[in-house]
Amino acid sequence: MNGVLVVGASVGGLTVVEALRRKGYGGHIRLVGDEPHLPYDRPPLSKEILTGRWPIERALLRDREQLDDLDVELYLGRRAEQLDLEARTVCLDDGRHLRYDTLVIATGLAPRPLPSQPAIAGIHTLRTVDDALALRRELPTARRVVIIGAGVLGCEIAAAARSLGRQVTLIDPLSVPMARQIGGELGARIAAMHQRRGVHLRMGAGVCGFNSVNGRIGAVELADGEVVPTDLAVIAVGSVPATGWLAGSGLTLSDGIECDAYCRAAPDVYAVGDVARWRHPVTGASTRLENRTNATEQAITVAANILRADRPYTPTPYFWTDQYDTKIQVHGVIAPDSRIRLIEGDAAAGRFVALAESGDTVTAAIGWNHPRGVRTARRRLVMDP
């Protein structure tokens, strides 16, 4: 028996392994990761790791002894390059061919580059622990930092850089930070929070080029002609599912791996986490979620389905972000036309619970420094199981 092969050694892939063992699976399990590090948690990268508050070891999901207890065969620092569905084989970059009875794909995301992004020193992306360490090494000597992209990651990096005393400019073509995640009204609150901390916002601005000095970033050029001097630039304009190695495999790829309601992409092939797109049984929508909570919950469902539970995956979308001294939690989806209604707390004091409503339907529960209140408010969501 070839057992279960998991490709992707972040939280989704590791959780599948742990859930299988917890449910009594005694077969062979192999875990492939393209980084040489033991599996680690990604959310701290843009906060505790970037600022130096945590050592790298604290971000590890499990130490070597705990992984040994799982009786899992590790292939770290190895990249999957090809999937042969008919032969049930994954080819690695070192030439090895790994056969499987069941395959779980948990390869996550890759940063999206800017079309005009040059290969010069001082331009960074942040996805891996090595990315975080490289950025952390340069921050102490960078007086001015430009962050391109004001989504969740960009805002977290801005908060981290500002907490280290750097001059920070945050650039985005939309009118407010995190507009896609939380809409205009709450995005304006995010903008005010960063401005109070001294971040310079350039909303509604597009980037058209970069200037270099002696091979290193010196300025960012905006589409309106403004030139923003900088010693360091971070590109945070989103990510794309890491599915390039699956081209021609026979799996359906469309902004992720298309799966059924059970997260099954093909017979005995499942997808987990940021890379998985599946048909939500409650909403009927083709859904792909990019957050740690989803990766964990989806992995638990997939492990059960590998063991023939036939359980559809029906999550309530959820994400959180920590910026400065503020924790923002959103259960559900804030639609562009949503009305935000305060139901508890004081917005002026920076601690409240609100609901996002479209017509008569509650689509999201929002907690602003109010974890207990938002847990109660999420019960009002129509998609909450």
Side-chain angles (χ1 to χ4, degrees):
M1 298 291 287
N2 297 302
V4 177
L5 175 61
V6 182
V7 179
S10 193
V11 64
L14 179 60
T15 301
V16 170
V17 174
E18 292 184 319
L20 284 171
R21 292 301 191 214
R22 192 165 56 246
K23 294 174 183 295
Y25 178 77
H28 191 199
I29 303 179
R30 287 164 294 175
L31 180 63
V32 176
D34 62 357
E35 297 181 61
H37 311 287
L38 295 179
Y40 61 85
D41 214 5
R42 294 190 190 276
L45 297 183
S46 57
K47 299 178 278 289
E48 292 84 2
I49 300 299
L50 188 57
T51 58
R53 293 198 302 268
W54 283 14
I56 295 304
E57 293 74 22
R58 189 169 173 183
L60 294 180
L61 293 165
R62 300 292 180 266
D63 60 26
R64 176 66 69 172
E65 183 177 351
Q66 291 169 320
L67 289 169
D68 289 343
D69 289 342
L70 290 171
D71 189 23
V72 56
E73 186 177 353
L74 294 174
Y75 293 79
L76 298 179
R78 296 271 66 92
R79 187 177 65 254
E81 291 198 330
Q82 187 176 17
L83 167 63
D84 187 328
L85 284 177
E86 186 175 351
R88 292 180 175 242
T89 301
V90 171
C91 178
L92 303 185
D93 59 353
D94 62 0
R96 277 182 286 191
H97 290 72
L98 303 183
R99 291 183 57 81
Y100 63 83
D101 296 315
T102 301
L103 174 65
V104 179
I105 302 171
T107 44
L109 302 170
R112 186 192 306 275
L114 282 175
S116 58
Q117 185 174 327
I120 58 176
I123 297 181
H124 293 257
T125 56
L126 178 53
R127 175 64 185 170
T128 69
V129 68
D130 289 333
D131 293 338
L133 291 177
L135 185 53
R136 188 170 83 177
R137 283 193 296 269
E138 292 202 26
L139 273 173
T141 57
R143 184 167 60 91
R144 300 163 300 186
V145 178
V146 166
I147 296 144
I148 301 167
V152 175
L153 179 61
C155 285
E156 290 180 349
I157 297 171
R162 192 71 193 102
S163 72
L164 294 172
R166 307 286 79 85
Q167 296 178 21
V168 177
T169 301
L170 186 58
I171 301 170
D172 197 279
L174 299 182
S175 59
V176 294
M178 291 175 53
R180 291 186 179 89
Q181 292 83 22
I182 61 176
E185 183 176 337
L186 295 174
R189 288 188 173 276
I190 296 286
M193 176 176 67
H194 281 277
Q195 287 173 318
R196 285 195 301 270
R197 300 282 184 155
V199 174
H200 178 54
L201 298 183
R202 285 295 282 111
M203 298 293 103
V207 170
C208 66
F210 298 83
N211 295 338
S212 62
V213 178
N214 297 324
R216 183 176 178 85
I217 183 72
V220 175
E221 298 179 9
L222 304 187
D224 63 3
E226 182 181 353
V227 176
V228 182
T230 189
D231 308 304
L232 187 66
V234 185
I235 312 298
V237 294
S239 302
V240 294
T243 57
W245 67 285
L246 297 169
S249 66
L251 296 183
T252 302
L253 307 177
S254 177
D255 186 33
I257 303 169
E258 291 280 358
C259 301
D260 62 15
Y262 304 90
C263 305
R264 187 169 45 230
D268 298 315
V269 177
Y270 297 84
V272 161
D274 300 341
V275 77
R277 175 172 291 281
W278 84 103
R279 185 67 58 180
H280 196 296
V282 176
T283 66
S286 178
T287 303
R288 188 175 66 81
L289 300 177
E290 296 182 9
N291 62 73
R292 187 196 192 284
T293 302
N294 171 69
T296 302
E297 293 178 349
Q298 196 168 34
I300 292 170
T301 297
V302 163
N305 289 340
I306 290 171
L307 300 176
R308 304 295 183 252
D310 290 329
R311 180 188 304 167
Y313 182 51
T314 58
T316 297
Y318 170 74
F319 79 90
W320 85 96
T321 178
D322 294 324
Q323 298 172 35
Y324 308 110
D325 55 359
T326 298
K327 178 181 285 293
I328 302 163
Q329 298 165 285
V330 178
H331 296 267
V333 176
I334 302 176
D337 63 345
S338 289
R339 179 180 67 258
I340 306 299
R341 180 165 63 89
L342 189 76
I343 62 171
E344 185 178 345
D346 184 353
R351 184 174 185 270
F352 63 89
V353 179
L355 299 178
E357 300 170 328
S358 289
D360 296 328
T361 302
V362 176
T363 65
I366 304 124
W368 202 282
N369 280 330
H370 210 319
R372 179 177 297 179
V374 77
R375 283 196 299 271
T376 301
R378 65 167 283 172
R379 298 172 188 167
R380 306 193 189 195
L381 299 180
V382 295
M383 66 173 61
D384 209 25

